[in-house]
């Protein structure tokens, strides 16, 4: 194994490298974790320490690490055609083939796709696309897009504006005009005395209230993640999406499913839209599209919305240099073929998912855990001081950080969202590896619990 000088790498990192969403002072005081290799569900740092990656990278490495076929197709594609664009009436084979397979694996209303490089630029595409759609339909006043508080749709101006993260808006100039936010279906914290089913309908009805307040003739689209990921794995009650769907249909509003996390098997189905029977008009995808092996995103366009490309003499004035990048497309194509041909999603759902749920949900017995919830290969633990009152530890996020750090010490990567601990492992995780993950979470909870009690 190659050896690294961790101290030197950390010093260089501190000197030159600006990280996303990072408190640099804190990171450099502790020393950045420098990841140097990965295989299957494990990653390795520069000191040779092994971690089970309970976050699949950043919610993306669905097929797991170490699939050398993906490296091979990248090499072959780079040698043959490393770059060409798809502007000005040109195309290339990887983009054409990827578009075809995406039409096959996505819900039946989708036959067209627009490529980008990430989920964020995909949602910028969405904003422009749905507004353009209504312009073509001679309803240009329909420009408002309704999203939800605590949603995450990316970090570009449009993505962060669609997102409902107050800290991101606080930087200024956000949200951009004509973006509105409604309630989220967060039952544990906001359900009050309602049953989950009552609350699901109630939360969805804040969409109808907002439409009435704005006037339906102003509303272009609603956008939502089938399950909010970065917001803390908010699994909606089963009554939520049918009510959202009913409202969108009633007011003729486009439904946009942000499948950046939920897509490509995360929920146990190919798409979150399949899991919740959402009939989306537009779908944003990234992450699992290439399992993170290449940066690529895509926006699926339904037959209804396809008039934006089907009108003669009209042009959707939008595109990126790397829209449909041949290497990224070739790698994504092979990734989707592997998911399909090896039946990775179906095997994960049929052989591991229920076992994972049983094990993970049993963590609810721990004194620190107010609620454990899971759907597909996503899960969250709400950490509380008092299970009965749901009271948090004094400093918001303290329990999450304590537990996340204990996990890392124990060789497990988990993400803390405030006081929720998140898991999102590669879909190839085995039952044995589930045991290992849940055991490590259990001992990390014990350690976090004793350190928090001692404060
Ligand atoms: N939509 C959703 C639902 C996402 O989760 C994006 C869009 C933006 O994708 P890109 O590829 O531009 O990052 C995301 C990304 C976190 C975290 O801390 C989550 C994301 C990205 C970075 C961090 O949980 N999700």
């Amino acid at each position: 194994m190659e050896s690294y000088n961790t101290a030197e790498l950390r010093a260089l990192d501190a000197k030159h490298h600006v990280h996303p969403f990072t408190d640099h002072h804190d990171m450099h005081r502790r020393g950045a974790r420098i990841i140097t290799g990965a295989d299957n569900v494990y990653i390795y740092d520069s000191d040779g320490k092994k971690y089970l990656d309970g976050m699949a990278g950043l919610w993306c490495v669905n097929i797991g690490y170490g699939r050398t076929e993906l490296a091979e197709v990248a090499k072959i594609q780079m040698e043959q055609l490393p770059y060409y664009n798809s502007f000005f009436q040109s195309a290339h084979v990887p983009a054409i083939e990827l578009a075809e397979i995406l039409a096959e694996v996505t819900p039946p209303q989708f036959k067209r796709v627009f490529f980008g490089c990430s989920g964020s630029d995909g949602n910028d595409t969405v904003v422009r696309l749905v507004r353009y759609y209504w312009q073509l339909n001679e309803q240009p006043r329909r420009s408002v897009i309704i999203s939800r508080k605590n949603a995450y749709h990316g970090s570009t101006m449009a993505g962060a504006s669609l997102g409902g993260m107050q800290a991101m808006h606080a930087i200024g100039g956000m949200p951009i005009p004509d973006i509105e936010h409604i309630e989220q279906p967060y039952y544990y914290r906001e359900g009050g005395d309602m049953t989950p089913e009552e609350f699901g309908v109630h939360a969805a009805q804040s969409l109808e209230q907002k439409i009435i307040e704005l006037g339906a003739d102003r509303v272009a689209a609603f956008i939502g993640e089938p399950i909010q990921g970065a917001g803390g794995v908010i699994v909606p009650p089963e009554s939520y999406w049918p009510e959202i769907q009913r409202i969108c249909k009633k007011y003729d509003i486009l439904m946009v499913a942000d499948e950046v996390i939920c897509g490509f098997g995360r929920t146990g189905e190919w798409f979150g839209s399949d899991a919740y029977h959402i009939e989306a008009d537009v779908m944003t995808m990234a992450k699992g599209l290439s399992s993170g092996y290449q940066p690529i995103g895509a926006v699926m366009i339904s037959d209804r919305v396809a008039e934006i490309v089907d009108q003669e003499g009209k042009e959707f004035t939008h595109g990126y240099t790397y829209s449909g990048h041949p290497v990224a497309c070739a790698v994504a194509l092979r990734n989707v073929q592997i998911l399909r041909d090896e039946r990775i999603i179906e095997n994960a759902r049929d052989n591991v998912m229920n076992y994972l749920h049983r094990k993970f949900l049993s963590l609810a017995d721990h004194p620190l855990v107010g609620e454990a919830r899971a759907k597909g290969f996503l899960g969250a633990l709400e950490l509380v001081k008092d299970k009965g009152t749901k009271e948090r530890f004094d400093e918001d996020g303290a329990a999450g950080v304590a537990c996340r750090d204990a996990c890392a010490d124990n060789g497990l990567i988990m993400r803390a969202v405030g006081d929720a601990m998140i898991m999102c492992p590669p879909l190839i995780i085995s039952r044995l590896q589930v045991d290992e993950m849940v055991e490590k979470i259990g001992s990390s909870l014990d350690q976090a619990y004793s350190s928090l009690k001692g404060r």
Side-chain angles (χ1 to χ4, degrees):
M1 199 195 266
E2 207 175 330
S3 77
Y4 298 90
N5 185 332
T6 302
E8 199 175 292
L9 287 166
R10 281 179 175 161
L12 285 172
D13 185 68
K15 206 165 163 190
H16 302 297
H17 183 193
V18 179
H19 295 234
F21 282 92
T22 294
D23 173 340
H24 287 76
H25 276 278
D26 186 51
M27 175 176 69
H28 296 315
R29 189 171 46 75
R30 296 151 167 261
R33 182 180 305 119
I34 296 165
I35 304 303
T36 54
D39 188 42
N40 192 265
V41 300
Y42 299 101
I43 60 172
Y44 299 87
D45 72 15
S46 51
D47 295 328
K49 183 172 164 128
K50 178 179 178 181
Y51 305 82
L52 196 160
D53 185 4
M55 280 306 295
L58 203 47
W59 324 75
C60 55
V61 186
N62 292 8
I63 61 166
Y65 297 98
R67 294 296 303 236
T68 51
E69 307 93 307
L70 298 188
E72 279 152 26
V73 299
K75 176 174 184 285
I76 293 166
Q77 186 57 47
M78 279 198 194
E79 285 166 352
Q80 188 177 345
L81 180 71
Y83 175 74
Y84 203 71
N85 64 71
S86 42
F87 284 56
F88 316 133
Q89 310 198 354
S90 36
H92 49 67
V93 179
I96 294 169
E97 290 185 347
L98 179 60
E100 182 196 22
I101 200 171
L102 291 177
E104 180 191 314
V105 299
T106 53
Q109 69 272 29
F110 294 112
K111 298 188 195 68
R112 315 285 183 95
V113 59
F114 181 90
F115 291 117
C117 313
S118 69
S120 297
D121 71 53
N123 283 327
D124 279 54
T125 298
V126 163
V127 169
R128 304 199 69 216
L129 183 137
V130 300
R131 289 179 177 166
Y132 181 55
Y133 169 83
W134 286 113
Q135 282 173 15
L136 286 179
N137 277 277
E138 287 163 11
Q139 297 186 53
R141 274 172 48 77
R142 280 198 186 252
S143 59
V144 177
I145 299 162
I146 301 178
S147 178
R148 299 174 299 178
K149 295 175 187 160
N150 198 36
Y152 190 80
H153 296 296
S155 236
T156 50
M157 285 299 282
S161 295
L162 290 172
M165 303 288 181
Q166 274 173 6
M168 292 177 78
H169 293 175
I171 291 180
M174 268 185 263
I176 55 171
D178 286 354
I179 309 276
E180 296 280 338
H181 295 89
I182 60 166
E183 297 309 316
Q184 58 173 332
Y186 186 9
Y187 182 69
Y188 182 69
R189 285 276 169 213
E190 296 169 14
D193 296 333
M194 286 178 261
T195 64
E197 297 320 299
E198 285 165 357
F199 175 70
V201 172
H202 170 82
Q205 283 173 352
S206 68
L207 174 60
E208 189 154 27
Q209 282 158 20
K210 181 59 82 179
I211 293 168
I212 292 166
E213 177 194 316
L214 295 162
D217 64 335
R218 289 279 291 118
V219 183
F222 170 76
I223 183 167
E225 309 154 71
I227 296 171
Q228 285 154 262
V233 180
I234 312 294
V235 179
E238 289 296 325
S239 59
Y240 179 77
W241 280 109
E243 183 66 4
I244 289 281
Q245 189 82 59
R246 181 192 69 76
I247 295 166
C248 286
K249 284 222 163 98
K250 179 172 172 192
Y251 297 97
D252 197 25
I253 284 160
L254 295 176
M255 162 82 84
V256 182
D258 183 335
E259 295 269 4
V260 169
I261 285 179
C262 291
F264 301 96
R266 189 46 64 193
T267 63
E269 303 294 334
W270 271 82
F271 292 92
S273 297
D274 298 324
Y276 288 106
H277 310 291
I278 301 167
E279 291 166 45
D281 298 296
V282 178
M283 230 163 67
T284 320
M285 315 186 302
K287 296 192 190 273
L289 167 58
S290 67
S291 287
Y293 280 64
Q294 281 284 291
I296 182 168
V299 174
M300 295 305 299
I301 300 169
S302 67
D303 295 336
R304 173 182 178 183
V305 179
E307 23 177 307
I308 67 141
V309 285
D310 287 339
Q311 295 213 351
E312 235 183 302
K314 291 246 167 36
E315 194 176 302
F316 178 36
T317 52
H318 179 75
Y320 310 112
T321 300
Y322 298 134
S323 283
H325 190 283
V327 180
C329 285
V331 170
L333 171 65
R334 183 52 57 90
N335 171 63
V336 178
Q337 285 168 339
I338 291 173
L339 286 172
R340 182 192 62 187
D341 299 345
E342 296 182 11
R343 298 180 55 77
I344 287 180
I345 296 166
E346 294 78 5
N347 288 336
R349 180 192 62 205
D350 298 344
N351 302 327
V352 183
M353 186 175 79
N354 291 341
Y355 185 78
L356 170 69
H357 289 182
R358 204 161 59 243
K359 288 275 171 166
F360 186 77
L361 297 181
S362 74
L363 293 164
D365 296 337
H366 194 278
L368 196 52
V369 177
E371 179 185 69
R373 55 179 178 264
K375 172 96 177 171
F377 288 75
L378 282 169
L381 304 173
E382 295 275 358
L383 307 188
V384 291
K385 193 170 178 181
D386 183 321
K387 280 175 182 263
T389 63
K390 303 183 183 176
E391 189 195 342
R392 300 179 203 260
F393 283 86
D394 302 336
E395 192 191 324
D396 192 22
V401 169
C403 184
R404 182 198 63 196
D405 291 349
C407 284
D409 289 345
N410 293 326
L412 171 67
I413 302 292
M414 280 188 92
R415 162 121 167 67
V417 174
D419 285 322
M421 291 303 301
I422 307 304
M423 67 117 189
C424 175
L427 305 181
I428 54 144
I429 192 168
S430 68
R431 289 181 180 220
L432 256 173
Q433 290 164 337
V434 167
D435 291 343
E436 181 190 342
M437 179 173 78
V438 173
E439 238 162 68
K440 285 184 166 162
I441 300 172
S443 27
S444 306
L445 286 169
D446 290 343
Q447 287 160 19
Y449 187 55
S450 47
S451 92
L452 288 160
K453 268 200 320 190
R455 281 185 197 174

